[in-house]
Amino acid sequence: MGKIYIIDVTNRDGVQTARLGLSKLEKTIMNIYLNEMGVFQSEFGFPTTKHETYYLQANLELAEMGVLKPIRLGGWIRATVGDVKTAFKYVPGIKHLNISISTSDQMIQGKFLGRKTRDDIIQMMVEALEAARSLGAEAVGVNAEDASRTELDFLLKFAAAAKEHGATRFRYCDTLGYDSPFSIYEAIRTIAENVKMPIEIHCHGDLGMAVASSIAGAKGAVDGGQDAYINTTVNGIGERAGNADLVATVLAITKSKGFEERYELGMPIDFSKSWEIAKFASYAFGVPIPINQPGVGANAFAHESGIHADGVLKDPQNYELYSYTELGRGEPELVETGREICAGEYGGISGFSHVMGKMEVEFTSEEDAEKILELVRYANVAAQKPLVEKELLFIAKYPDIARKLLTLRPLDVP
Ligand SMILES: [Zn+2]
């Protein structure tokens, strides 16, 4: 029986979303949370984008240090030989890549304007895939952009060519959120049975079905005898109406009727981090968690009406499918209501030592404290909001990595 894995794409699809973004430190903290939760892979950024370079290199160093382990860090690029070469030039240590190209006639004609045929698309993908493998990529996922609007026969041909030339996985992108759970199940099961390779499922919420289509797609892959890799984002943040929400997707896999008995996660997810990661994403993106969000919304475990309140007090299982404690909720949280000292871009050593002292961080020397303070100032310049505890602790613990993350010098721009 195939298993289901999670590839989170917050640091790629999430950050490319209009009006939203994350600082390089925030992206790094996101990777740390995803690793702590047991997520298989984080699509951690764009290796051809110059301002990502130091961040990507620094995170690969964290992986080597064992801080980001066992999570895999995968980069996203277009399926062109040029992009592959640039990725390895800027980020030589990169091991995992997803290469992406449009496969629907709509996009082949609408984007390439008659300059490319379906055969050209396959050829471009194969050339990029071979280049990635020859430059040392250990795993390459091949993405069919707009797969849900691609004729299935061509998609099968495209996926078979990817497999034949050494792709590790095939990513079925429901780029426009066009699939329903019924249509995606059929498509992915057919691909799994015919092409026989692990399949990634990438769904969007334009019709409100991102999570439902994701687990239906995963079922299609597993029923077809293959492993499934669902793409999620934290709080569902992604292009337009967003992606499949990480917490909601894992809840659906592990708690929904009939699913939890037959379809299993390949790596256990530590649910107790759900509350913390959702809150961090909300802070970092500056987007409140909707009150009715599954598991982590303010109302997810709130009861008011007489019948519900009475029922849940008698036995929580009357009106709750799962417990808030599983998601890491229910712990008291300290909110400062009096005097507050914040770390900021213009902060000084006295206030900074006070802030760090509250977290029981002590510095060996004044010089050491000054060094960390300087990095915290730069991190504040990037974030433009007071850093949270996890970020301050990260900088104090890994100052050399933090320095690299905070470096945004253009690489070859004079
Ligand atoms: Zn997407």
Side-chain angles (χ1 to χ4, degrees), residues 247-270:
V247 172
T249 301
V250 181
L251 282 170
I253 295 166
T254 56
K255 313 277 185 193
S256 67
K257 188 174 178 179
F259 210 82
E260 87 280 23
E261 292 143 26
R262 287 200 57 205
Y263 303 91
E264 288 180 356
L265 289 168
M267 280 170 71
I269 292 286
D270 180 0

Side-chain angles (χ1 to χ4, degrees), residues 9 12-13 16 173-175 202-204 239 243:
V9 298
R12 199 277 296 169
D13 217 317
Q16 76 182 50
C173 301
D174 181 20
T175 306
H202 181 98
C203 296
H204 278 271
E239 289 276 13
N243 294 59

Side-chain angles (χ1 to χ4, degrees), residues 135-149:
L135 285 167
E138 282 174 17
V140 186
V142 168
N143 302 7
E145 189 191 21
D146 208 14
S148 49
R149 293 194 299 175

Side-chain angles (χ1 to χ4, degrees), residues 85-310:
K85 285 184 176 163
T86 305
F88 279 95
K89 180 176 147 202
Y90 291 159
V91 193
I94 198 139
K95 293 190 171 67
H96 306 285
L97 283 172
N98 271 72
I99 62 173
S100 179
I101 194 162
S102 313
T103 53
S104 65
D105 286 344
Q106 164 66 44
M107 286 199 180
I108 295 173
Q109 280 148 25
K111 288 166 86 168
F112 295 110
L113 303 173
R115 281 174 282 125
K116 300 270 181 233
T117 63
R118 284 181 172 184
D119 287 342
D120 294 335
I121 295 295
I122 290 183
Q123 198 189 331
M124 276 172 76
M125 177 273 289
V126 166
E127 284 171 3
L129 174 57
E130 285 181 338
R133 294 190 63 223
S134 72
L135 285 167
E138 282 174 17
V140 186
V142 168
N143 302 7
E145 189 191 21
D146 208 14
S148 49
R149 293 194 299 175
T150 303
E151 199 194 328
L152 194 54
D153 279 345
F154 177 61
L155 211 52
L156 288 167
K157 200 174 157 193
F158 178 87
K163 184 189 175 191
E164 191 191 325
H165 290 86
T168 316
R169 292 182 298 273
F170 169 70
R171 180 179 292 181
Y172 177 102
C173 301
D174 181 20
T175 306
L176 269 72
Y178 176 52
D179 260 315
S180 75
F182 313 104
S183 61
I184 200 169
Y185 174 83
E186 292 298 333
I188 290 189
R189 184 170 180 160
T190 305
I191 298 165
E193 284 173 345
N194 286 277
V195 185
K196 298 184 173 59
M197 73 188 295
I199 299 177
E200 289 189 38
I201 299 108
H202 181 98
C203 296
H204 278 271
D206 299 74
L207 298 175
M209 295 189 283
V211 172
S213 290
S214 294
I215 70 161
K219 178 175 156 62
V222 173
D223 289 353
Q226 296 298 320
D227 285 334
Y229 293 78
I230 297 179
N231 289 186
T232 63
T233 64
V234 182
N235 296 346
I237 300 282
E239 289 276 13
R240 305 178 314 280
N243 294 59
D245 169 50
L246 169 64
V247 172
T249 301
V250 181
L251 282 170
I253 295 166
T254 56
K255 313 277 185 193
S256 67
K257 188 174 178 179
F259 210 82
E260 87 280 23
E261 292 143 26
R262 287 200 57 205
Y263 303 91
E264 288 180 356
L265 289 168
M267 280 170 71
I269 292 286
D270 180 0
F271 260 129
S272 71
K273 296 279 173 197
S274 304
W275 177 240
E276 231 186 304
I277 195 172
K279 273 199 332 174
F280 177 74
S282 169
Y283 147 81
F285 279 115
V287 176
I289 299 173
I291 194 170
N292 57 343
Q293 186 160 315
V296 296
N299 268 3
F301 298 95
H303 310 275
E304 181 184 295
S305 77
I307 292 168
H308 280 238
D310 177 59

Side-chain angles (χ1 to χ4, degrees), residues 308-362:
H308 280 238
D310 177 59
V312 85
L313 287 168
K314 282 176 175 150
D315 179 354
Q317 288 188 32
N318 283 330
Y319 285 104
E320 289 173 1
L321 204 52
Y322 44 87
S323 166
Y324 59 84
T325 53
E326 281 183 69
L327 301 171
R329 298 181 69 155
E331 294 292 322
E333 284 179 352
L334 280 176
V335 178
E336 186 59 71
T337 59
R339 178 180 301 124
E340 210 171 342
I341 308 292
C342 301
E345 63 193 291
Y346 303 108
I349 193 69
S350 165
F352 177 64
S353 300
H354 174 83
V355 169
M356 297 306 278
K358 277 178 100 173
M359 293 184 286
E360 289 164 10
V361 175
E362 290 194 4

